Amino acid sequence: MSAKKELYLAVKKTILDETSVKHCRLFNSQFDEMESEDTFAFPCAFIEFTQLQWLTKSEGYQEADTILRIHVGFESLETEELDILDLLEDIHSELQGYNVDNLFTPLDRNFEGQDTNHDNVIVWLMDYDTLLSDNAGNRNTKLVKTSISDLCIDRESGAPRLRELRD
């Protein structure tokens, strides 16, 4: 599975399971396109990969300094709505320090801000830094694992070879 997909699914599951967010998916300018967008329940969260700066470490193994942006939407017709501030605190308490070993480092909030360009919807942005690991391009992942007892010496070339390939 893709490292980005694993990161996305882990964060999505945490948001949905541990907070009062009712809808969560990948960000695609949903708040700007609400008239033509599929309906979604509020409060909602959309996850955006704003930046992935990849660096190859060795043998195709890569790490990316990643900024994960959470767009939190809260629908309100009130003159002042403070419940979103509680929701933001709940989301942050679940995401700050959250990680999956060998996939990404603990999430660390580096920015918050309000997007004030939406009628009757309060949109809040939360950015988290992490270091994402991706082993998909590692050429060693395609090697066949074997033991010394599975090898024999080819009489013609003198080179080792597998007796038979087993799963």
Side-chain angles (χ1 to χ4, degrees):
M1 183 184 309
S2 151
K4 291 181 292 294
K5 185 175 181 180
E6 287 185 66
L7 171 58
Y8 164 74
L9 290 173
V11 170
K12 176 181 178 177
K13 180 175 180 8
T14 298
I15 289 172
L16 288 173
D17 290 353
E18 304 299 331
T19 72
S20 62
V21 168
K22 296 178 182 168
H23 183 86
C24 186
R25 67 176 188 232
L26 280 173
F27 178 71
N28 193 22
S29 300
Q30 284 89 346
F31 299 115
D32 294 334
E33 308 291 331
M34 287 183 66
E35 292 78 33
S36 60
E37 179 69 30
D38 290 340
T39 60
F40 48 85
F42 287 93
C44 58
F46 298 102
I47 300 169
E48 176 184 5
F49 291 88
T50 64
Q51 178 180 322
L52 288 98
Q53 195 69 34
W54 291 103
L55 177 64
T56 299
K57 301 303 267 186
S58 67
E59 303 290 331
Y61 170 79
Q62 292 187 306
E63 292 180 338
D65 285 323
T66 304
I67 298 174
L68 202 64
R69 175 168 286 168
I70 313 299
H71 300 252
V72 180
F74 194 91
E75 188 173 41
S76 177
L77 299 174
E78 301 291 323
T79 304
E80 182 175 54
E81 183 61 71
L82 298 179
D83 289 344
I84 190 170
L85 300 176
D86 294 330
L87 176 61
L88 295 169
E89 192 65 27
D90 291 346
I91 291 170
H92 175 66
S93 70
E94 294 301 326
L95 294 185
Q96 180 68 25
Y98 177 74
N99 77 313
V100 173
D101 288 339
N102 300 322
L103 179 60
F104 59 92
T105 59
L107 296 175
D108 187 29
R109 180 176 59 185
N110 70 22
F111 168 81
E112 274 195 49
Q114 191 171 352
D115 179 352
T116 58
N117 196 26
H118 308 285
D119 295 334
N120 300 329
V121 176
I122 299 169
V123 178
W124 200 270
L125 308 175
M126 305 170 78
D127 287 0
Y128 288 86
D129 290 328
T130 188
L131 184 66
L132 179 62
S133 302
D134 190 346
N135 203 28
N138 187 331
R139 67 181 186 178
N140 292 332
T141 60
K142 297 177 180 97
L143 297 177
V144 176
K145 292 181 182 178
T146 188
S147 69
I148 195 73
S149 63
D150 294 334
L151 296 175
C152 66
I153 302 299
D154 182 48
R155 292 178 192 234
E156 292 177 23
S157 68
R161 67 177 175 84
L162 284 174
R163 292 182 199 275
E164 63 182 79
L165 187 58
R166 292 183 262 167
D167 288 333

